Amino acid sequence: MLPRKTMTEINKNFHHIAGENLLEKDEASFKEYRKKWEEWPKDFYVGEFPLFVDIEVTNDCNLRCPFCQYALRRGKVKRGRITFDIIKKIIDEGADNGLYGVKFNLWGEPLLHPQLHEFIKYAKQKGLIDVYFNTNAMLLNKDVSHKLIDAGLDRISISFEGYTKSVYEKYRVGAKYEKVLLNIENMQILKKDLGVNHPKVRIQTVMLPDIEFGFQEYKDFWAQRVDEVGCLDYEDINVKNGIRHPWACPQIWQRMGIWWDGTLFPCNKDFNALLSLGNIQQNSIKDAWHSKRLNSIRDAHRKGWAFQIPACDTCQLRNSAILMLEKRKANT
């Protein structure tokens, strides 16, 4: 017997708090992009090509944050950096098939790759309208900021737990509070000096207990310094395995992930490489998007059987959605 109703929830783990909403723009092409982002998963519609691709430019990191899910993979996978040949293959195919955007990171710190600004410039030259990455901003010095601005980066999300030195350095192990604050300030000043408004700068935190306690202070502190303030739900790593639930992951109708070595994945959450769809050096993104394996994954999610797929059953994104839906049900 199938669940009575299978549903998707879009971007429910991220919360806009203050400033501009960087996912709301007046441009017609951007509105079309975000409309598809919302509608395709809800309608279980498989478009001709993914709307967005997450590209891992490197899986190395300069910090050792204790709550980072990437830490589960550290030491278990080969470290490396993507080549420009792979970047061009991804972007060229995407540009020919209506790809809207890319995020130049999955695991690791993208600013460790010395060619990151060149990748961004290439993607913008090919017409992509939503080009960004997440960073801890330790390496976001003035020279790097200038290169990113010149490349045309649309937005940048900086991960920063809380707003105080004690909380930030407790969770961002290896980072320096004053250095990151200065890097953010210098980026904003440089934009003003150059007369540009890109990249839009978002600060986002994982809503850990220490931060939730000082939520208003966090909001007020950053609202004066960046373009957008947001937060992410804390994802409990104690996943409830083997639970049948009428929730379907939106990612498999929106985006794909590609590791630094070219391995293709149906999402950006497959830490243990259980759902590989081949490698872009032999297979196209479009073929992987319409592959029998990915369609079977989508079918399982539509029917509420995601728990039968080990990678999905142990996914923190699914676990968080289940906990949230159960909480709602208990409160009604």
Side-chain angles (χ1 to χ4, degrees):
M1 182 176 180
L2 296 181
R4 184 170 52 189
K5 182 181 179 182
T6 304
M7 67 195 78
T8 59
E9 300 221 68
I10 316 301
N11 296 340
K12 290 301 181 183
N13 66 326
F14 174 79
H15 308 280
H16 167 79
I17 297 174
E20 301 177 49
N21 188 329
L22 302 188
L23 296 179
E24 294 181 359
K25 293 184 180 180
D26 290 333
E27 292 93 335
S29 58
F30 199 88
K31 286 184 175 181
E32 177 186 56
Y33 158 48
R34 298 311 299 180
K35 183 179 179 182
K36 291 177 180 178
W37 189 266
E38 293 282 336
E39 292 181 351
W40 283 15
K42 290 178 180 178
D43 296 336
F44 300 132
Y45 175 74
V46 182
E48 288 299 310
F49 200 81
L51 302 169
F52 192 89
V53 174
D54 299 87
I55 304 172
E56 179 184 72
V57 297
T58 181
N59 59 359
D60 204 359
C61 189
N62 53 342
L63 301 185
R64 293 296 181 265
C65 307
F67 57 84
C68 178
Q69 295 178 14
Y70 170 72
L72 299 174
R73 294 176 62 233
R74 190 174 293 128
K76 298 180 181 179
V77 295
K78 182 180 178 181
R79 295 185 183 183
R81 295 177 177 177
I82 203 167
T83 66
F84 214 143
D85 286 342
I86 294 178
I87 287 290
K88 287 179 178 178
K89 191 170 180 60
I90 296 168
I91 301 301
D92 288 351
E93 184 185 353
D96 289 341
N97 287 276
L99 182 69
Y100 287 99
V102 292
K103 177 162 69 73
F104 282 114
N105 70 287
L106 268 172
W107 330 117
E109 169 52 51
L111 288 177
L112 287 170
H113 201 303
Q115 292 179 286
L116 179 62
H117 62 286
E118 298 176 41
F119 302 160
I120 292 164
K121 184 176 181 179
Y122 191 77
K124 293 304 297 181
Q125 289 175 337
K126 286 290 184 172
L128 274 63
I129 65 173
D130 188 22
V131 178
Y132 83 109
F133 62 88
N134 297 336
T135 177
N136 57 51
M138 274 288 289
L139 303 175
L140 191 67
N141 57 42
K142 289 183 180 180
D143 179 59
V144 170
S145 292
H146 210 304
K147 288 178 179 178
L148 295 176
I149 291 171
D150 288 346
L153 182 66
D154 292 301
R155 55 191 176 105
I156 182 172
S157 292
I158 298 173
S159 302
F160 198 109
E161 269 50 66
Y163 66 98
T164 64
K165 178 180 175 68
S166 59
V167 171
Y168 173 69
E169 293 188 355
K170 173 183 176 182
Y171 291 109
R172 291 282 159 182
V173 178
K176 299 298 180 184
Y177 177 84
E178 293 84 2
K179 182 176 183 178
V180 176
L181 277 186
L182 181 62
N183 287 345
I184 294 169
E185 179 182 357
N186 285 338
M187 166 65 89
Q188 297 295 68
I189 291 172
L190 185 57
K191 284 161 54 180
K192 185 176 181 180
D193 290 346
L194 294 173
V196 300
N197 61 7
H198 70 273
K200 295 291 187 180
V201 177
R202 171 200 281 170
I203 282 289
Q204 59 187 36
T205 184
V206 176
M207 193 51 67
L208 297 157
D210 288 351
I211 298 154
E212 191 170 8
F213 179 76
F215 177 79
Q216 187 61 47
E217 291 82 359
Y218 164 79
K219 173 183 174 181
D220 293 343
F221 180 87
W222 286 114
Q224 305 172 47
R225 291 170 169 82
V226 296
D227 300 297
E228 181 181 31
V229 184
C231 69
L232 295 164
D233 293 332
Y234 174 65
E235 295 179 358
D236 189 350
I237 62 173
N238 297 310
V239 178
K240 294 182 176 181
N241 296 341
I243 295 176
R244 187 177 185 180
H245 201 278
W247 177 83
C249 181
Q251 290 202 13
I252 51 181
W253 285 276
Q254 295 168 325
R255 68 206 301 170
M256 290 188 68
I258 305 177
W259 283 7
W260 68 268
D261 61 359
T263 307
L264 296 153
F265 293 93
C267 66
N268 64 15
K269 292 289 186 179
D270 186 10
F271 298 104
N272 297 309
L274 300 177
L275 301 176
S276 171
L277 301 172
N279 192 291
I280 194 167
Q281 299 186 79
Q282 292 83 38
N283 305 325
S284 70
I285 297 172
K286 192 168 187 177
D287 285 346
W289 182 247
H290 293 284
S291 65
K292 182 177 179 181
R293 186 177 196 193
L294 182 47
N295 281 329
S296 69
I297 293 170
R298 293 185 181 113
D299 188 54
H301 277 256
R302 273 194 298 264
K303 294 176 179 177
W305 293 345
F307 71 97
Q308 294 183 339
I309 304 169
C312 300
D313 187 37
T314 56
C315 177
Q316 283 83 9
L317 187 62
R318 180 173 183 266
N319 187 58
S320 295
I322 290 174
L323 292 173
M324 180 174 62
L325 292 170
E326 288 178 347
K327 184 177 180 179
R328 287 183 194 166
K329 185 177 179 180
N331 292 332
T332 58

